[in-house]
Amino acid sequence: MPLTPVPARPALVVFDLDGTLLDTHVDLVESLNHTIAALDLEPVSYDDLTHLVGQGARVMIERACRLRGHPLESDALPPLVERFVAHYAGNMPGRTEPYPGLVAAMDRLKSQGYRLAVCTNKMESLALGLLGKLELTRYFDAITGGDSFEYRKPDARHLTGTIERAGGDITRTVMIGDSVNDIAVARNAGVPSIAVPFGYSDVPVSSLDPDKIIMHYDELTPELVERLLREFATKVAV
C-alpha cells in the first residue's frame, strides 16, 4: 500500500523592516536632524545618507556628523543616540507607511497558513512600537531587532534565532530585504532571498545576487514562495 505523502510545513517569510516592509526614510532623517541640531550642525538630507538609512541610529549619527565636519568621540555618541530614539519613538508613526501592495501580500500568505516574521537591525522596541502604531503587529509570529540577540545581520544567527522564535523551519524559510545585510544574512543562514529594489541600498540589488527580485508586492504570492523554495533546494542538492 503506497505511503501517503506528508504535507510540507507552512513556509516562513521573514522581512527586513526599513526599506522593505515600510518606507521610513522621512521620519528617520527628521529624527537624525533633530539629534545633530544639539551640536549646532546643519541638517542633512536623505540623499546624503540613502544607503545608511535602515542601518541603525548610531551609524546614521556618526556619518551625519562626519559629513558636517564634526567627527564624534566615542563618549559623545550615547547621549545623541538617546536623543534620536526619544524623538523617533515620540513621533511614531509619523509619515512612515507600508510599501504599496504589502498588506494585500501578507493577507494572501496568511490566508494560506504561512508564518511571517521581521528580522531588522532596528532596536526591537522601536520595531515593535512602529509596527504597533501601524496596526501591523498581528501579522507576525516573531519580531526581532538588532538588540534581540548578541548578534545582528548579516550574522546568520540573527536570522536563525528569528526563525526559531517564529516556530519556523529553516528549510521552509525565505528572507526578503532591500540591502546587502539582508541578502548576506540569507546566504549565511542557507535560505533563499528575495530582494526589493525600492529600499535603501547604495548599489543595484541585482549586484547583491539575490535568488529573486520583485518589483512590487503584487508579485509576492504563495506560488512564488513555493517555487523559490523548490528551486533553492534543487540548487543546494546539486
Side-chain angles (χ1 to χ4, degrees), residues 18-86:
D18 297 278
T20 301
L21 277 175
L22 305 177
D23 185 356
T24 56
H25 78 274
V26 172
D27 299 304
L28 289 171
V29 172
E30 284 184 358
S31 291
L32 176 62
N33 283 327
H34 169 80
T35 301
I36 66 173
L39 303 173
D40 294 323
L41 300 182
E42 290 294 316
V44 296
S45 71
Y46 172 67
D47 290 338
D48 291 324
L49 296 167
T50 174
H51 68 289
L52 296 177
V53 170
Q55 302 237 1
R58 296 176 64 91
V59 174
M60 287 196 298
I61 293 167
E62 288 175 323
R63 174 62 173 160
C65 289
R66 284 199 298 271
L67 281 173
R68 292 295 176 254
H70 188 90
L72 294 173
E73 299 292 336
S74 59
D75 60 351
L77 191 56
L80 293 173
V81 172
E82 289 180 11
R83 179 178 171 90
F84 176 95
V85 169

Side-chain angles (χ1 to χ4, degrees), residues 210-229:
D211 295 287
K212 176 69 178 177
I213 298 173
I214 58 173
M215 306 304 293
H216 191 283
Y217 276 116
D218 288 350
E219 299 176 58
L220 182 58
T221 63
E223 292 77 18
L224 172 67
V225 172
E226 294 302 326
R227 183 168 69 250
L228 184 59
L229 287 168

Side-chain angles (χ1 to χ4, degrees), residues 136-227:
L136 296 175
T137 309
R138 61 188 175 86
Y139 283 97
F140 301 106
D141 296 278
I143 299 169
T144 69
D147 56 348
S148 299
F149 307 104
E150 295 180 4
Y151 22 79
R152 56 192 288 175
K153 295 183 298 184
D155 191 305
R157 291 171 292 181
H158 191 174
L159 179 53
T160 57
T162 303
I163 295 168
E164 183 177 354
R165 284 196 185 183
D169 177 345
I170 196 167
T171 68
R172 298 275 300 153
T173 296
V174 171
M175 176 76 200
I176 304 180
D178 68 305
S179 65
V180 61
N181 280 343
D182 306 314
I183 307 309
V185 77
R187 185 174 299 116
N188 293 340
V191 305
S193 59
I194 297 174
V196 295
F198 40 72
Y200 310 143
S201 177
D202 60 335
V203 298
V205 293
S206 58
S207 70
L208 304 176
D209 198 27
D211 295 287
K212 176 69 178 177
I213 298 173
I214 58 173
M215 306 304 293
H216 191 283
Y217 276 116
D218 288 350
E219 299 176 58
L220 182 58
T221 63
E223 292 77 18
L224 172 67
V225 172
E226 294 302 326
R227 183 168 69 250

